[in-house]
Amino acid sequence: MSSRWSTLSTRVQAGGAEALRLAVGEGKQYEGDIVRKRTEVEKVVIEKEKAAGDIVHALPEDSETQPEVKLYLPNILKDAVFVGHLVTDLDSVAGAIGAAELYGGIPALASEVNSETAFALEKFGVEKPRTIEDILKENPEVDICLVDHQQTSQMNPSIHQDKVVGIIDHHALQSKTIVTDKPIYIDIRPWGSMSTIIAHTFGRY
């Protein structure tokens, strides 16, 4: 094993567990009658010390031979239709287009685009998505991923809730948040826009 991995192994084994033994200790006496007892987390860290060392020793000696780990993209969103909210805006449309490209699906419009969105699409030479109604007429059973919203009051009425398999959004959960009868993919972050979430995921993928 290379010296680099040997050093890492030593640090792991003498890391958290050893620090707890040396710095904290069992039954440490404080002022008065207070006696320091180990927490459950500390007990587990010490208990798993050997297992952690075994994992480190099992790693390849050459870091270049380690397998590449890619960002997980859920298969449940593949071939889904990505659609934003009614009275659609630029974030809703751009997010649907970006998410469809990222996850391998189809972008759709929940309503006609406004002037800002029309300008952006023309400026960057991006084709305007089809309406969700047209797509559902061709394939009523297609899976749906809601983007930039998750409330039924903002959802296009042609969408059936039982066809929703995912939500990518940046808004608060409120009283009319969609309810599903099965687990779905959810990516909700308190960020400035839904498109920022997609851009960040693109950057990591």
Side-chain angles (χ1 to χ4, degrees):
M1 179 175 288
S2 68
S3 59
R4 188 170 72 87
W5 283 115
S6 297
T7 301
L8 176 59
S9 175
T10 301
R11 288 178 178 175
V12 170
Q13 294 187 63
E18 189 66 16
L20 289 174
R21 276 194 288 268
L22 295 176
V24 179
E26 178 73 35
K28 184 176 180 179
Q29 184 76 39
Y30 292 91
E31 293 184 7
D33 298 327
I34 300 176
V35 178
R36 201 330 183 137
K37 296 183 179 179
R38 295 203 187 281
T39 66
E40 291 302 314
V41 172
E42 292 170 354
K43 292 177 182 177
V44 172
V45 169
I46 294 174
E47 177 186 343
K48 300 295 183 180
E49 179 184 12
K50 182 181 182 303
D54 292 341
I55 292 173
V56 172
H57 283 295
L59 292 172
E61 294 185 9
D62 184 359
S63 61
E64 294 183 358
T65 64
Q66 296 185 63
E68 181 182 359
V69 179
K70 294 185 177 180
L71 176 69
Y72 169 72
L73 293 179
N75 291 329
I76 194 173
L77 298 185
K78 184 174 175 56
D79 298 324
V81 174
F82 295 81
V83 59
H85 52 74
L86 293 169
V87 192
T88 191
D89 56 16
L90 181 56
D91 188 31
S92 181
V93 176
I97 294 172
E101 178 68 24
L102 177 64
Y103 294 105
I106 304 168
L109 297 177
S111 59
E112 190 52 50
V113 299
N114 57 25
S115 58
E116 178 189 36
T117 305
F119 171 81
L121 294 175
E122 181 179 357
K123 173 71 174 178
F124 295 101
V126 178
E127 183 179 354
K128 184 173 72 171
R130 298 168 60 199
T131 65
I132 185 64
E133 292 91 346
D134 286 347
I135 294 175
L136 290 177
K137 283 179 182 178
E138 294 181 358
N139 186 2
E141 299 302 314
V142 69
D143 292 332
I144 303 292
C145 180
L146 304 179
V147 302
D148 201 30
H149 75 296
Q150 26 68 22
Q151 294 189 46
T152 55
S153 59
Q154 296 181 311
M155 193 167 66
N156 185 291
S158 66
I159 299 172
H160 295 287
Q161 289 188 210
D162 60 350
K163 294 301 179 184
V164 176
V165 298
I167 294 172
I168 306 174
D169 192 21
H170 68 116
H171 294 101
L173 301 175
Q174 298 180 344
S175 60
K176 293 185 178 180
T177 294
I178 185 174
V179 176
T180 64
D181 59 1
K182 62 182 182 297
I184 65 174
Y185 176 80
I186 296 179
D187 187 353
I188 298 179
R189 312 183 201 180
W191 291 8
S193 70
M194 179 269 171
S195 296
T196 305
I197 298 174
I198 297 301
H200 179 262
T201 308
F202 259 117
R204 294 178 58 202
Y205 182 56

